[in-house]
Amino acid sequence: MKALLSATTLLILLLFSGCQSNGASHRQRPLIGISCSHPNDYSSARTTYTESVIQAGGTPMLIPVTTDSTVLADIVSRLDAIILIGGADIHPSYYNEEPIEQLGEVDSLRDVYDIALIRLAAQRNIPMLGICRGEQLINVAFGGTLYQDIPAQHPDTTVRHNQEEPSSVPTHTVHLLQGSAIAQITGQTELFTNTHHHQAVKQAAPGFRITAWAADSIPEAIENINGKPIWGVQFHPEALTMAGDSISARFFHFLVDRAAASRRGK
């Protein structure tokens, strides 16, 4: 009986040890927070975002939509990087403008939530990648402005920025600034990208520069120039990554690498 108990105890200890070992191994993957939208009272994000992170070697974690600053601060303190996803228009009051007629649907709750995430991440120097609305929010949070509606406020209408094709299909060219982060990440001077937006960065925020443009001069990427690990793109590399585009996948490998370095520095 004693031998049976000893063997059982040993088996339990080995299984527990294995679980701990596996858990420790999983924890070595950088933890990448992904902001959420909240349709129908859900906190959610497309699987293209989460799968792109997983394929790049990170562990995605959805950040629930809340305005509880204590909860958000606790979550952000555990993260190694953050991705800010696409979504509705940003209210122009955040960049001291009145709404124009062509302003689309805004999401006041997400505006507060997303800007809080940006500021918390910036305070902790956590690497941050904004995608579409996420890029625009980064620019607004640091004092930049937006085109509320490109067709109404930008004179050149040669590029259709809100494509009818699925996000997996690239439809227009983006020109990259030589020596910029986006050029180094992709190893390219031009990208063929998708486009689903009618707002865009107008004036870059202090401490940021525009590093990519569409053919009609609409900004397509920004980056911080004061040493903070913050980047933004107007297009959707996650959708192209899941469609098999290896160039777009480099954005997520880059962010996971920076997240790993951030984790080691903690």
Side-chain angles (χ1 to χ4, degrees), residues 133-147:
R133 168 188 163 93
E135 179 220 31
Q136 296 166 11
L137 274 161
I138 287 170
N139 193 55
V140 168
F142 288 96
T145 63
L146 302 179
Y147 290 105

Side-chain angles (χ1 to χ4, degrees), residues 193-223:
T193 70
N194 52 20
T195 179
H196 291 282
H197 64 106
H198 82 112
Q199 295 196 313
V201 169
K202 185 177 182 181
Q203 182 70 39
F208 286 78
R209 66 173 175 170
I210 297 166
T211 56
W213 298 263
D216 60 358
S217 79
I218 286 293
E220 293 280 345
I222 61 172
E223 66 181 68

Side-chain angles (χ1 to χ4, degrees), residues 38-243:
H38 63 113
N40 301 316
D41 294 327
Y42 290 94
S43 287
S44 63
R46 292 182 181 275
T47 55
T48 47
Y49 293 103
T50 53
E51 288 299 316
S52 294
V53 168
I54 291 169
Q55 288 187 13
T59 295
M61 174 180 156
L62 298 187
I63 306 171
V65 178
T66 179
T67 57
D68 188 317
S69 58
T70 302
V71 169
L72 289 177
D74 184 45
I75 292 171
V76 171
S77 70
R78 302 164 189 257
L79 300 175
D80 301 309
I82 288 180
I83 294 173
L84 297 148
I85 70 170
D89 286 1
I90 301 161
H91 199 283
S93 62
Y94 283 97
Y95 46 99
N96 301 315
E97 290 187 10
E98 292 294 325
I100 65 171
E101 182 181 352
Q102 293 83 359
L103 181 70
E105 180 182 356
V106 298
D107 188 333
S108 298
L109 175 57
R110 272 200 70 190
D111 286 348
V112 174
Y113 154 82
D114 281 325
I115 289 175
L117 285 179
I118 291 167
R119 290 175 176 164
L120 286 166
Q123 288 166 7
R124 291 162 174 78
N125 217 36
I126 295 172
M128 186 168 16
L129 174 65
I131 294 174
C132 197
R133 168 188 163 93
E135 179 220 31
Q136 296 166 11
L137 274 161
I138 287 170
N139 193 55
V140 168
F142 288 96
T145 63
L146 302 179
Y147 290 105
Q148 292 187 43
D149 180 72
I150 295 169
Q153 295 182 313
H154 188 67
D156 189 336
T157 59
T158 55
V159 176
R160 182 171 186 173
H161 287 278
N162 197 4
Q163 68 184 51
E164 294 181 354
E165 295 84 352
S167 297
S168 57
V169 178
T171 59
H172 80 82
T173 301
V174 170
H175 304 278
L176 314 185
L177 179 67
Q178 186 176 0
S180 64
I182 189 172
Q184 293 172 2
I185 291 166
T186 60
Q188 307 294 309
T189 57
E190 289 185 352
L191 297 176
F192 197 43
T193 70
N194 52 20
T195 179
H196 291 282
H197 64 106
H198 82 112
Q199 295 196 313
V201 169
K202 185 177 182 181
Q203 182 70 39
F208 286 78
R209 66 173 175 170
I210 297 166
T211 56
W213 298 263
D216 60 358
S217 79
I218 286 293
E220 293 280 345
I222 61 172
E223 66 181 68
N224 186 271
I225 56 174
N226 289 334
K228 287 190 174 294
I230 307 174
W231 310 272
V233 294
Q234 183 58 69
F235 46 91
H236 286 269
E238 79 288 351
L240 297 175
T241 295
M242 297 315 299

